[in-house]
Amino acid sequence: EADIYQTPRYLVIGTGKKITLECSQTMGHDKMYWYQQDPGMELHLIHYSYGVNSTEKGDLSSESTVSRIRTEHFPLTLESARPSHTSQYLCASSDGRGTGELFFGEGSRLTVL
Amino acid sequence: KNQVEQSPQSLIILEGKNCTLQCNYTVSPFSNLRWYKQDTGRGPVSLTIMTFSENTKSNGRYTATLDADTKQSSLHITASQLSDSASYICVVSDRGSTLGRLYFGRGTQLTVWP
């Protein structure tokens, strides 16, 4: 079982609120990722990091921001949530060696009213 | 355009039966192909990872095949169990960038009935 944790698992908030989705891994992986997933659709990469102080935007445009101050921690923040941000957010990590297997967290289900 | 297409979109089978899920891809260049199992409301869990030189790989009752020439893969589930009910996602990685970009299929939703 992967040692990667996301909190909260479920969050319902009102429009305009600031939210932070937490992601932590204890595997010492350098590479970490945030994906967005809607029902019946493929995962879309929204942010990734190759190490401390390294963050990049992914393929899908997102109004969220991320930070990587510590290797094990990769939080995602929405400054002002909107109903269009309602989605499942999945955090993942990889050691980047060989085939670079991804280990996913359990996900954070965000609903913005 | 690099794509990963999975079929069928959904599948219902009876417990104990076998089934095969398909994945066709156009990703080029090709590095590896992965199958993930995603239970409802959970994160994906890796089942197999295959490079271009591997034709088949097993993980318990799950057997994945890869034909790099025709760019097709299949996931065969033997003697299905109720716990196999999940979405099965095919993911292809290219080797064209240092990122090793991943291309995700939309998944096949499998339901196993008692």
Side-chain angles (χ1 to χ4, degrees), chain B:
Chain B
K1 179 182 177 182
N2 288 322
Q3 284 188 316
V4 177
E5 300 287 344
Q6 293 187 243
S7 62
Q9 184 176 349
S10 62
L11 180 64
I12 300 174
I13 62 173
L14 294 177
E15 187 178 14
K17 298 297 186 182
N18 304 334
C19 68
T20 300
L21 314 180
Q22 300 289 344
C23 174
N24 297 334
Y25 62 93
T26 60
V27 176
S28 181
F30 171 86
S31 176
N32 59 72
L33 185 146
R34 312 149 187 239
W35 283 95
Y36 286 87
K37 177 187 179 187
Q38 185 176 23
D39 293 321
T40 301
R42 310 288 292 271
V45 174
S46 179
L47 294 175
T48 64
I49 299 177
M50 289 187 294
T51 61
F52 71 91
S53 61
E54 296 175 293
N55 300 118
T56 185
K57 204 162 198 179
S58 292
N59 178 0
R61 294 179 296 102
Y62 301 102
T63 299
T65 64
L66 173 64
D67 186 333
D69 292 329
T70 61
K71 297 188 177 182
Q72 295 180 325
S73 176
S74 66
L75 180 68
H76 186 74
I77 304 175
T78 304
S80 62
Q81 300 176 357
L82 298 179
S83 59
D84 292 331
S85 293
S87 178
Y88 292 84
I89 303 172
C90 177
V91 185
V92 179
S93 175
D94 67 17
R95 59 171 188 262
S97 69
T98 56
L99 176 60
R101 180 175 176 168
L102 299 179
Y103 297 84
F104 289 81
R106 294 186 175 187
T108 291
Q109 184 64 48
L110 174 66
T111 303
V112 181
W113 282 2

Side-chain angles (χ1 to χ4, degrees), chain A residues 3-23:
Chain A
D3 295 321
I4 179 166
Y5 310 98
Q6 291 186 240
T7 58
R9 290 289 315 280
Y10 305 94
L11 181 62
V12 180
I13 60 170
T15 297
K17 298 294 185 182
K18 176 181 178 179
I19 65 109
T20 296
L21 304 181
E22 303 286 352
C23 177

Side-chain angles (χ1 to χ4, degrees), chain A residues 17-32:
Chain A
K17 298 294 185 182
K18 176 181 178 179
I19 65 109
T20 296
L21 304 181
E22 303 286 352
C23 177
S24 295
Q25 50 95 6
T26 58
M27 296 173 281
H29 289 168
D30 287 328
K31 295 185 176 181
M32 295 189 74

